[in-house]
Amino acid sequence: MPSRPSGVKRRDLLRLTAATSGAAAITLSPVTFAHADGQETETRTITGHLATGAPDFVYVPLEVPRGVRRIHVSYTYDRPTVPAGTPGNALDIGIFDERGTDLPGEGFRGWSGGFRTEFFISAEEATPAYLAGPLNPGTWHVILGPYTVAPQGLNYELSITLDYGRQGRTPRPVYPPERAPGRGRAWYRGDCHLHTVHSDGARTPAEVAAAARAAGLDFINTSEHNTSSGHAAWEGLWDHPDGELLVLCGEEVTTRNGHYLALGIDPGTFIDWRYRARDDAYDHYARRIHRAGGLLVPAHPHATCIGCAWKFGLLQADAVEVWNGPWTPDDEASLATWDGTLVANAATGAWLPAMGNSDAHREPQVVGLPQTVVLADDLSRQAILAGLRAGRSYLAESSSVELSLTATDGRGHHASIGERLAGEGVGRDTEVTVRAEAGGVPGGSIRLVTDQGLMRTEPLPADGSGAVEWRTTVSLAAYVRAEVRHAPADGGASGLPGAMAAMSNPLFLGDSRSR
């Protein structure tokens, strides 16, 4: 038996795992059940203590016998008072079935993080965030995740109840269709970071669908924390008299070193989260997302919550969530970081588009604040993902805000958002006219930003519609992007810009030979 790690006080420690493919974990001794003849239910309760320095995950094996029709798990833990500025106790929970806990999570049956104190699984149904299905005999594992541990340590109590009897039939999942009636090639509005009761959200899928329609959205992406259970939760919600809604399947992969969206993946695909940036795992899951037809999008990269800031780098990403919820200093930092990547990659064309999503969990958080507006050939999974991947999109705080950006020269060459002004005769000295138009932001301002910085600003009139135009040459700007800002809350005394109302992805001027 290995030596006991410093963060573990239970005497029934079975083994310590510190594989390079995933985060460090401990596995406790198995919990067994007698299942005497005629017994209808059986409960086991264990207690334990985790000290500071506990591994990321604690596995509790359950020896599940034959004849189980329902598994119910509940847990509690203490929350002692801690000094100001010191994290208190937070303990997450989930479960794996008899197929095991090894990455990439073939035995995964659900994860509710710290949002629920109990859950159940049967063949017919399961608590939201968990997957209904056969309760096969074998070694299952409850997984505990000590997200933060107070200086006093964390005391927990875990109860597992097995109900015996004949299992029911598992319903076949009904996933959203990959196409909705659209308007042909058009600008479509979507919110790709949303939560429901299938993770830590308070809204039902029906309530999110209604809020999305009220926000003027054409598509959404289901993005629950570390579970795929929400993929089959939208039956009938895409079809409504108020308008069709394209529902993409996804996940917010919530690691200890940052969160990322698996956007538009094949329905039923689960992306494991049990690793850190130091582990040899992230690249594998990036490839898994791409094989499943989806996009990888780091979420809120400069968020200040524990474990939320992005630490994995951008090499495997397809876009970046620059704007998350109402505009804050976190978003301003994300914008500056993203703009720096445009400078570095302007010549190669290997740039990452920006996205904006609400990350809405509950009232009064607004679905569609912000939203990504993408130019797509139709309202389908493939077309929307292609538009997002190409950066043919802008971000807006609501459906009442519109933004366009174009560049033209005197020879008929033209480029719009996400495109490059290039072609025969376009060289370093080619004169270019860049124009941005905006609507829906009364009293704001419209700005043009290049790799050199802010080049032009024009105030918007009381009706909120206006334009800014700038004449330059290819040699003076690698790219141009547009911003629409509200008036600063302090009246401009600080010299800082106001909150973002809309922003575009860039358009590029010339090719690498024109620089």
Side-chain angles (χ1 to χ4, degrees):
M1 180 180 292
S3 61
R4 184 170 64 218
S6 61
V8 181
K9 298 299 183 183
R10 279 182 57 88
R11 292 182 177 179
D12 55 351
L13 172 69
L14 180 63
R15 69 178 183 272
L16 169 69
T17 302
T20 57
S21 60
I26 57 171
T27 300
L28 305 182
S29 295
V31 177
T32 60
F33 296 83
H35 189 197
D37 290 342
Q39 192 171 20
E40 295 183 356
T41 186
E42 193 172 4
T43 298
R44 294 286 184 273
T45 299
I46 66 171
T47 60
H49 176 84
L50 298 171
T52 55
D56 287 352
F57 302 106
V58 176
Y59 294 104
V60 182
L62 311 178
E63 297 301 337
V64 175
R66 296 184 182 278
V68 174
R69 65 175 181 83
R70 188 176 187 266
I71 297 175
H72 178 269
V73 178
S74 64
Y75 78 122
T76 61
Y77 60 92
D78 65 338
R79 294 172 173 84
T81 301
V82 296
T86 301
N89 285 336
L91 185 65
D92 297 338
I93 196 168
I95 195 168
F96 287 78
D97 66 20
E98 84 287 349
R99 291 171 292 177
T101 62
D102 289 348
L103 300 176
E106 295 302 322
F108 176 79
R109 292 296 290 271
W111 173 262
S112 49
F115 188 60
R116 297 183 183 277
T117 59
E118 60 181 330
F119 64 86
F120 78 90
I121 297 176
S122 71
E124 306 99 309
E125 58 181 343
T127 301
Y130 293 83
L131 304 176
L135 303 184
N136 295 325
T139 304
W140 290 52
H141 291 82
V142 171
I143 175 175
L144 301 176
Y147 198 70
T148 54
V149 178
Q152 302 95 319
L154 185 155
N155 297 310
Y156 65 87
E157 180 178 285
L158 176 67
S159 293
I160 305 100
T161 298
L162 304 185
D163 294 338
Y164 297 103
R166 183 183 297 275
Q167 293 189 33
R169 178 176 298 179
T170 301
R172 185 172 182 175
V174 178
Y175 296 125
E178 297 197 0
R179 181 181 298 273
R183 304 180 297 277
R185 186 172 176 82
W187 292 94
Y188 293 101
R189 295 176 178 268
D191 189 344
C192 294
H193 188 168
L194 293 161
H195 297 279
T196 74
V197 293
H198 282 265
S199 58
D200 60 344
R203 293 181 174 108
T204 64
E207 289 169 335
V208 168
R213 289 188 171 91
L217 301 184
D218 302 293
F219 66 93
I220 58 174
N221 178 70
T222 175
S223 53
E224 311 294 0
H225 293 285
N226 301 340
T227 185
S228 57
S229 74
H231 293 185
W234 301 84
E235 184 176 1
L237 298 178
W238 51 79
D239 186 7
H240 193 274
D242 291 340
E244 299 284 342
L245 187 67
L246 177 67
V247 180
L248 304 176
C249 293
E251 180 183 333
E252 183 175 8
V253 187
T254 307
T255 80
R256 299 296 181 94
N257 288 157
H259 304 182
Y260 64 95
L261 304 178
L263 197 167
I265 53 179
D266 292 336
T269 301
F270 165 67
I271 306 298
D272 211 317
W273 80 101
R274 295 170 294 157
Y275 44 87
R276 295 189 182 219
R278 67 192 178 205
D279 302 317
D280 184 20
Y282 169 71
D283 287 354
H284 170 81
Y285 294 101
R287 292 190 295 271
R288 186 177 177 93
I289 289 169
H290 293 147
R291 287 196 301 269
L295 306 181
L296 191 159
V297 183
H300 44 65
H302 283 276
T304 57
C305 49
I306 294 174
C308 296
W310 184 246
K311 306 292 186 182
F312 290 90
L314 298 174
L315 290 180
Q316 301 286 1
D318 299 293
V320 180
E321 189 184 70
V322 170
W323 187 353
N324 176 278
W327 190 261
T328 66
D330 296 353
D331 303 304
E332 204 72 64
S334 296
L335 174 64
T337 300
W338 171 72
D339 188 77
T341 69
L342 298 181
V343 174
N345 298 309
T348 66
W351 62 284
L352 290 179
M355 290 190 66
N357 301 303
S358 73
D359 197 5
H361 287 68
R362 57 187 57 83
E363 297 292 345
Q365 296 169 354
V366 179
V367 172
L369 171 57
Q371 55 196 247
T372 301
V373 190
V374 58
L375 180 62
D377 289 336
D378 54 44
L379 188 55
S380 68
R381 173 191 173 194
Q382 295 300 327
I384 292 296
L385 295 183
L388 293 173
R389 186 184 296 109
R392 298 192 302 266
S393 57
Y394 67 90
L395 323 181
E397 65 180 4
S398 74
S399 59
S400 65
V401 177
E402 297 184 344
L403 178 62
S404 66
L405 176 67
T406 60
T408 57
D409 67 2
R411 301 190 178 191
H413 297 106
H414 176 276
S416 186
I417 299 171
E419 298 177 341
R420 183 178 293 272
L421 185 73
E424 185 176 352
V426 177
R428 288 177 52 84
D429 298 327
T430 299
E431 295 183 351
V432 178
T433 299
V434 179
R435 181 177 176 85
E437 299 182 7
V441 190
S445 62
I446 183 168
R447 302 146 51 101
L448 294 177
V449 181
T450 77
D451 53 307
Q452 292 187 76
L454 179 62
M455 304 305 293
R456 287 289 186 276
T457 301
E458 289 289 341
L460 293 173
D463 67 2
S465 298
V468 60
E469 194 167 280
W470 178 49
R471 290 181 174 83
T472 185
T473 62
V474 168
S475 63
L476 293 180
Y479 65 87
V480 185
R481 58 181 183 82
E483 294 181 358
V484 183
R485 298 270 190 162
H486 289 287
D490 63 0
S494 65
L496 298 175
M500 194 73 72
M503 57 172 280
S504 76
N505 273 300
L507 61 79
F508 296 89
L509 302 182
D511 55 29
S512 59
R513 295 169 296 179
S514 304
R515 301 269 59 86

